Coordinates of all heavy atoms in Angstrom, one line a residue:
Y58 N 81.1 5.4 -202.5 CA 81.8 6.8 -202.4 C 82.4 6.8 -201.0 O 81.8 6.4 -200.0 CB 80.7 7.9 -202.4 CG 81.3 9.3 -202.3 CD1 81.8 10.0 -203.4 CD2 81.5 9.8 -201.0 CE1 82.4 11.2 -203.3 CE2 82.1 11.0 -200.9 CZ 82.6 11.7 -202.0 OH 83.2 13.0 -201.9
R68 N 77.7 16.6 -193.0 CA 78.2 16.2 -194.3 C 77.2 15.2 -195.0 O 77.0 15.3 -196.2 CB 79.5 15.5 -194.1 CG 80.2 15.1 -195.4 CD 80.5 16.3 -196.3 NE 81.2 15.9 -197.5 CZ 81.0 16.5 -198.6 NH1 80.1 17.4 -198.8 NH2 81.8 16.1 -199.7
N76 N 73.1 17.8 -203.9 CA 74.0 17.1 -204.7 C 75.0 17.9 -205.5 O 76.0 17.4 -206.0 CB 73.2 16.2 -205.7 CG 72.7 15.0 -205.0 OD1 73.2 14.5 -204.0 ND2 71.6 14.5 -205.5
D77 N 74.8 19.3 -205.5 CA 75.8 20.1 -206.2 C 77.1 20.1 -205.6 O 78.1 20.4 -206.2 CB 75.2 21.6 -206.2 CG 74.1 21.8 -207.2 OD1 73.9 20.9 -208.1 OD2 73.3 22.7 -207.0
I78 N 77.2 19.8 -204.3 CA 78.5 19.7 -203.6 C 79.3 18.6 -204.2 O 80.5 18.7 -204.2 CB 78.2 19.4 -202.1 CG1 77.6 20.7 -201.5 CG2 79.5 19.1 -201.4 CD1 77.3 20.6 -200.0
N79 N 78.7 17.6 -204.7 CA 79.5 16.4 -205.2 C 78.7 15.8 -206.4 O 77.8 15.0 -206.2 CB 79.7 15.4 -204.1 CG 80.8 14.4 -204.5 OD1 80.7 13.9 -205.7 ND2 81.7 14.1 -203.6
R80 N 79.1 16.2 -207.6 CA 78.3 15.8 -208.8 C 78.4 14.3 -209.0 O 77.4 13.6 -209.4 CB 78.8 16.5 -210.0 CG 78.5 18.0 -210.0 CD 79.0 18.6 -211.3 NE 78.8 20.1 -211.2 CZ 79.2 20.9 -212.1 NH1 79.9 20.5 -213.2 NH2 78.9 22.2 -212.0
E81 N 79.6 13.7 -208.7 CA 79.7 12.3 -208.8 C 78.7 11.5 -208.0 O 78.1 10.5 -208.4 CB 81.1 11.8 -208.4 CG 82.2 12.2 -209.4 CD 82.9 13.4 -209.0 OE1 82.3 14.2 -208.2 OE2 84.0 13.6 -209.4
L82 N 78.5 12.0 -206.7 CA 77.6 11.4 -205.8 C 76.1 11.4 -206.3 O 75.3 10.5 -206.0 CB 77.7 12.0 -204.4 CG 76.9 11.3 -203.3 CD1 77.5 9.9 -203.1 CD2 77.0 12.0 -202.0
Y127 N 83.2 6.5 -206.8 CA 82.9 7.9 -207.1 C 83.7 8.8 -206.2 O 83.2 9.1 -205.1 CB 81.4 8.2 -207.0 CG 80.5 7.4 -207.9 CD1 79.9 6.3 -207.6 CD2 80.4 7.9 -209.2 CE1 79.1 5.6 -208.5 CE2 79.6 7.2 -210.2 CZ 79.0 6.0 -209.8 OH 78.2 5.4 -210.7
N128 N 84.8 9.2 -206.6 CA 85.6 10.1 -205.7 C 86.4 11.1 -206.6 O 86.5 11.0 -207.8 CB 86.6 9.3 -204.9 CG 86.0 8.8 -203.6 OD1 85.3 7.9 -203.6 ND2 86.3 9.6 -202.5
R129 N 87.0 12.1 -205.9 CA 87.7 13.1 -206.6 C 89.2 12.8 -206.5 O 89.6 11.6 -206.5 CB 87.4 14.5 -206.0 CG 86.0 14.9 -206.2 CD 85.5 16.0 -205.3 NE 85.5 15.5 -203.9 CZ 85.2 16.2 -202.8 NH1 85.0 17.5 -203.0 NH2 85.2 15.7 -201.6
R130 N 90.1 13.8 -206.3 CA 91.5 13.5 -206.3 C 92.0 12.9 -205.0 O 91.3 13.0 -204.0 CB 92.3 14.8 -206.6 CG 92.3 15.8 -205.5 CD 93.1 17.1 -205.9 NE 94.4 16.8 -206.4 CZ 95.2 17.6 -207.0 NH1 94.8 18.8 -207.4 NH2 96.4 17.3 -207.4
T131 N 93.1 12.3 -205.0 CA 93.7 11.7 -203.8 C 94.2 12.7 -202.8 O 94.4 13.9 -203.2 CB 94.9 10.8 -204.3 OG1 95.8 11.6 -205.0 CG2 94.4 9.7 -205.2
N132 N 94.3 12.3 -201.6 CA 94.7 13.2 -200.5 C 95.8 12.6 -199.7 O 95.7 12.5 -198.4 CB 93.5 13.5 -199.6 CG 92.5 14.4 -200.3 OD1 92.8 15.5 -200.7 ND2 91.3 13.9 -200.5
Y194 N 103.7 17.3 -213.5 CA 102.5 18.0 -213.5 C 102.6 19.5 -213.9 O 101.9 20.0 -214.7 CB 101.8 17.9 -212.1 CG 100.3 18.1 -212.1 CD1 99.4 17.0 -212.3 CD2 99.7 19.4 -211.9 CE1 98.0 17.2 -212.3 CE2 98.4 19.6 -211.9 CZ 97.5 18.5 -212.1 OH 96.2 18.7 -212.1
V197 N 103.6 19.8 -217.5 CA 102.5 19.6 -218.4 C 101.6 20.9 -218.5 O 101.3 21.4 -219.6 CB 101.6 18.5 -217.9 CG1 100.2 18.4 -218.6 CG2 102.3 17.1 -218.1
I198 N 101.4 21.5 -217.3 CA 100.6 22.8 -217.3 C 101.3 23.9 -218.2 O 100.7 24.5 -219.0 CB 100.3 23.3 -215.9 CG1 99.4 22.3 -215.2 CG2 99.7 24.7 -215.9 CD1 99.4 22.5 -213.7
N199 N 102.6 24.0 -217.9 CA 103.3 25.1 -218.6 C 103.3 24.8 -220.1 O 103.2 25.7 -221.0 CB 104.8 25.2 -218.1 CG 104.8 25.7 -216.7 OD1 103.9 26.3 -216.2 ND2 105.9 25.4 -216.0
L201 N 101.1 23.0 -221.9 CA 99.8 23.2 -222.5 C 99.5 24.7 -222.7 O 98.8 25.1 -223.7 CB 98.7 22.6 -221.7 CG 98.7 21.0 -221.6 CD1 97.6 20.5 -220.7 CD2 98.6 20.4 -223.0
E202 N 99.9 25.5 -221.8 CA 99.6 27.0 -221.9 C 100.4 27.6 -223.0 O 100.1 28.7 -223.5 CB 99.8 27.6 -220.5 CG 98.7 27.2 -219.6 CD 98.8 27.9 -218.2 OE1 99.9 28.4 -217.9 OE2 97.8 27.8 -217.4
Y229 N 95.5 9.5 -213.3 CA 94.3 9.8 -212.5 C 94.1 11.3 -212.3 O 93.1 11.9 -212.6 CB 94.3 9.1 -211.2 CG 93.1 9.3 -210.3 CD1 92.0 8.5 -210.5 CD2 93.1 10.2 -209.3 CE1 90.9 8.7 -209.7 CE2 92.0 10.5 -208.5 CZ 90.9 9.7 -208.7 OH 89.8 9.9 -207.9
D230 N 95.2 11.9 -211.9 CA 95.2 13.3 -211.6 C 95.0 14.2 -212.8 O 94.3 15.2 -212.8 CB 96.4 13.8 -210.8 CG 96.4 13.5 -209.3 OD1 95.4 12.8 -208.9 OD2 97.3 13.9 -208.6
L231 N 95.7 13.8 -213.9 CA 95.5 14.6 -215.1 C 94.1 14.5 -215.7 O 93.6 15.5 -216.2 CB 96.6 14.1 -216.2 CG 98.0 14.4 -215.9 CD1 98.9 13.8 -216.9 CD2 98.3 15.9 -215.8
K232 N 93.5 13.3 -215.6 CA 92.1 13.1 -216.1 C 91.1 13.9 -215.2 O 90.2 14.4 -215.7 CB 91.8 11.7 -216.1 CG 92.4 10.9 -217.3 CD 91.9 11.2 -218.6 CE 90.6 10.6 -218.9 NZ 90.1 10.9 -220.3
K233 N 91.4 13.9 -213.9 CA 90.4 14.4 -212.9 C 90.6 15.9 -212.7 O 89.6 16.6 -212.5 CB 90.5 13.7 -211.6 CG 90.0 12.3 -211.6 CD 88.5 12.3 -211.5 CE 88.0 10.9 -211.3 NZ 86.5 10.8 -211.2
E234 N 91.8 16.4 -212.7 CA 92.1 17.7 -212.2 C 92.7 18.7 -213.2 O 92.6 19.9 -213.0 CB 93.0 17.7 -211.0 CG 92.5 16.8 -209.8 CD 91.3 17.5 -209.2 OE1 91.3 18.8 -209.1 OE2 90.4 16.8 -208.7
L235 N 93.3 18.2 -214.3 CA 94.1 19.1 -215.1 C 93.3 20.3 -215.7 O 93.9 21.4 -215.8 CB 94.8 18.3 -216.2 CG 95.8 19.0 -217.1 CD1 96.9 19.6 -216.3 CD2 96.4 18.1 -218.2
A236 N 92.1 20.0 -216.1 CA 91.3 21.1 -216.8 C 91.2 22.3 -215.9 O 91.1 23.4 -216.4 CB 90.0 20.5 -217.2
R237 N 91.1 22.1 -214.6 CA 91.0 23.2 -213.6 C 92.2 24.1 -213.6 O 92.2 25.2 -213.1 CB 90.6 22.7 -212.2 CG 89.4 21.8 -212.2 CD 89.1 21.3 -210.8 NE 88.2 20.2 -210.8 CZ 87.8 19.6 -209.7 NH1 88.2 20.0 -208.5 NH2 86.9 18.6 -209.7
E238 N 93.4 23.5 -213.9 CA 94.6 24.2 -213.8 C 95.0 25.0 -214.9 O 95.9 25.9 -214.8 CB 95.7 23.1 -213.5 CG 95.5 22.2 -212.4 CD 95.8 22.8 -211.0 OE1 96.4 23.9 -211.0 OE2 95.6 22.1 -210.0
V239 N 94.5 24.7 -216.1 CA 94.9 25.5 -217.3 C 93.9 26.6 -217.6 O 92.7 26.5 -217.2 CB 95.1 24.6 -218.5 CG1 96.3 23.7 -218.3 CG2 93.9 23.8 -218.8
E240 N 94.3 27.6 -218.3 CA 93.4 28.8 -218.5 C 92.2 28.5 -219.3 O 91.1 29.1 -219.0 CB 94.2 29.9 -219.2 CG 95.3 30.5 -218.3 CD 96.1 31.6 -219.0 OE1 95.7 31.9 -220.2 OE2 97.1 32.1 -218.4
S241 N 92.2 27.6 -220.3 CA 91.1 27.3 -221.1 C 89.9 26.7 -220.4 O 88.7 26.9 -220.7 CB 91.5 26.4 -222.3 OG 91.8 25.2 -221.8
K242 N 90.2 25.9 -219.3 CA 89.2 25.2 -218.5 C 88.4 24.2 -219.3 O 87.4 23.6 -218.8 CB 88.2 26.2 -217.8 CG 88.9 27.2 -217.0 CD 89.5 26.7 -215.7 CE 90.1 27.8 -214.9 NZ 91.0 27.3 -213.8
K243 N 88.7 24.0 -220.6 CA 87.9 23.0 -221.4 C 88.4 21.6 -221.0 O 89.4 21.4 -220.4 CB 88.2 23.3 -222.9 CG 89.6 23.0 -223.3 CD 89.8 23.3 -224.8 CE 91.2 23.1 -225.3 NZ 91.7 21.7 -225.2
E244 N 87.5 20.6 -221.4 CA 87.9 19.2 -221.2 C 89.1 18.9 -222.0 O 89.2 19.2 -223.2 CB 86.7 18.3 -221.6 CG 87.1 16.8 -221.1 CD 86.3 15.8 -221.9 OE1 85.3 16.2 -222.6 OE2 86.6 14.6 -221.8
L245 N 90.1 18.3 -221.3 CA 91.4 18.0 -222.0 C 91.4 16.6 -222.4 O 90.8 15.7 -221.8 CB 92.5 18.3 -221.1 CG 92.7 19.8 -220.6 CD1 93.8 19.9 -219.6 CD2 93.0 20.6 -221.8
K246 N 92.1 16.3 -223.5 CA 92.2 14.9 -224.0 C 93.5 14.3 -223.5 O 94.6 14.7 -223.9 CB 92.2 15.0 -225.6 CG 90.8 15.5 -226.2 CD 90.9 15.6 -227.7 CE 89.6 16.1 -228.2 NZ 89.7 16.3 -229.7
V247 N 93.3 13.4 -222.6 CA 94.4 12.7 -222.0 C 94.3 11.2 -222.2 O 93.2 10.6 -221.9 CB 94.5 13.0 -220.4 CG1 95.7 12.2 -219.8 CG2 94.6 14.5 -220.2
L267 N 87.1 4.1 -212.1 CA 87.3 5.4 -211.5 C 86.8 6.5 -212.4 O 87.0 7.7 -212.1 CB 88.8 5.6 -211.2 CG 89.4 4.6 -210.3 CD1 90.9 4.9 -210.1 CD2 88.7 4.6 -208.9
G268 N 86.0 6.2 -213.4 CA 85.4 7.2 -214.2 C 86.4 8.0 -215.0 O 86.2 9.2 -215.2
L269 N 87.4 7.4 -215.6 CA 88.4 8.0 -216.3 C 88.3 7.8 -217.8 O 89.2 8.1 -218.6 CB 89.8 7.6 -215.9 CG 90.2 7.6 -214.4 CD1 91.6 7.1 -214.2 CD2 90.0 9.0 -213.9
K272 N 85.2 11.1 -223.1 CA 83.9 11.5 -223.6 C 83.9 11.6 -225.1 O 82.8 11.6 -225.7 CB 83.5 12.8 -223.0 CG 83.2 12.7 -221.5 CD 82.8 14.1 -220.9 CE 82.6 13.9 -219.3 NZ 82.4 15.2 -218.7
D295 N 95.9 16.5 -226.0 CA 96.7 17.3 -225.0 C 97.9 16.5 -224.4 O 99.0 17.0 -224.4 CB 95.7 17.8 -223.9 CG 94.7 18.8 -224.5 OD1 95.1 19.9 -224.9 OD2 93.5 18.4 -224.5
V296 N 97.5 15.4 -223.8 CA 98.6 14.6 -223.1 C 98.5 13.1 -223.5 O 97.4 12.6 -223.5 CB 98.5 14.8 -221.6 CG1 99.6 14.0 -220.9 CG2 98.5 16.2 -221.2

Side-chain angles (χ1 to χ4, degrees):
Y58 180 92
R68 184 63 176 143
N76 283 335
D77 288 341
I78 288 175
N79 193 315
R80 290 180 184 176
E81 289 97 336
L82 188 60
Y127 295 99
N128 273 81
R129 294 161 294 175
R130 72 182 303 167
T131 55
N132 289 299
Y194 201 90
V197 168
I198 292 168
N199 292 340
L201 291 180
E202 290 181 345
Y229 182 83
D230 278 7
L231 292 174
K232 288 288 285 185
K233 287 282 188 181
E234 299 292 328
L235 185 58
R237 302 179 195 182
E238 305 278 357
V239 294
E240 289 181 4
S241 67
K242 305 292 183 191
K243 66 180 178 67
E244 187 201 349
L245 297 173
K246 295 176 182 176
V247 180
L267 300 179
L269 307 180
K272 292 178 183 176
D295 296 292
V296 183

